[in-house]
Amino acid sequence: TRRKQNEWWHYKRSRFWSNQHENKIYLREIMRKIVAVFTLLFLFSCTEMVDKPQKLLSKEQMSAIIADFAIYDQAYSVRPDVNMELASRHVLLKHKTNAAIYRDSYTYYLGVSGDLEEILEGAKEILIQKDPKLEEYIKKQKKDNPNLPSFVK
């Protein structure tokens, strides 16, 4: 009887281990499928990096504001006693907006690929229209510094 008990125990044990191994394989397959589904859901649910703000400035408005900021920034390098905070407020009031709307719009366009570069190109064109000598300066800078960002070129 002892021998029969050992045989029975070995049979049960081998059956348990074989089922457990099969269960592990089955669980791995299920986990892989679940991970794949969640990965696909995550990828397709993220359409944009930044949500579109309620009050979004147009690209032309952003270009004009950035061009004015650049002008006042250069004024500060000529006259360091210029209050840049007041100059920034003046630019925003001139364009009938506020800092929060400008910041949200800038963040949005930064997240949308290619839009910020287009805005900076527009600002560069506005600055060149106001001062045609600037185009020669940009060409010289491009020649002297080939590693400049594309919107400066």
Side-chain angles (χ1 to χ4, degrees), residues 30-88:
I30 289 176
M31 288 302 292
R32 284 183 187 154
K33 289 177 183 178
I34 290 172
V35 168
V37 167
F38 278 114
T39 303
L40 289 173
L41 285 174
F42 177 74
L43 289 175
F44 288 115
S45 67
C46 300
T47 55
E48 292 182 358
M49 290 176 55
V50 180
D51 293 333
K52 189 173 183 177
Q54 291 179 349
K55 295 182 179 180
L56 181 67
L57 297 173
S58 69
K59 292 178 186 177
E60 293 78 20
Q61 288 175 312
M62 289 292 291
S63 294
I65 292 171
I66 290 173
D68 285 345
F69 279 149
I71 291 170
Y72 281 105
D73 187 48
Q74 290 302 311
Y76 180 76
S77 66
V78 173
R79 271 186 81 188
D81 61 333
V82 172
N83 188 340
M84 286 304 290
E85 185 177 340
L86 288 176
S88 299

Side-chain angles (χ1 to χ4, degrees), residues 136-148:
E136 290 177 30
Y137 177 76
I138 291 173
K139 286 180 184 176
K140 182 183 175 208
Q141 289 297 319
K142 179 183 170 185
K143 186 178 175 182
D144 294 343
N145 304 314
N147 295 330
L148 286 175

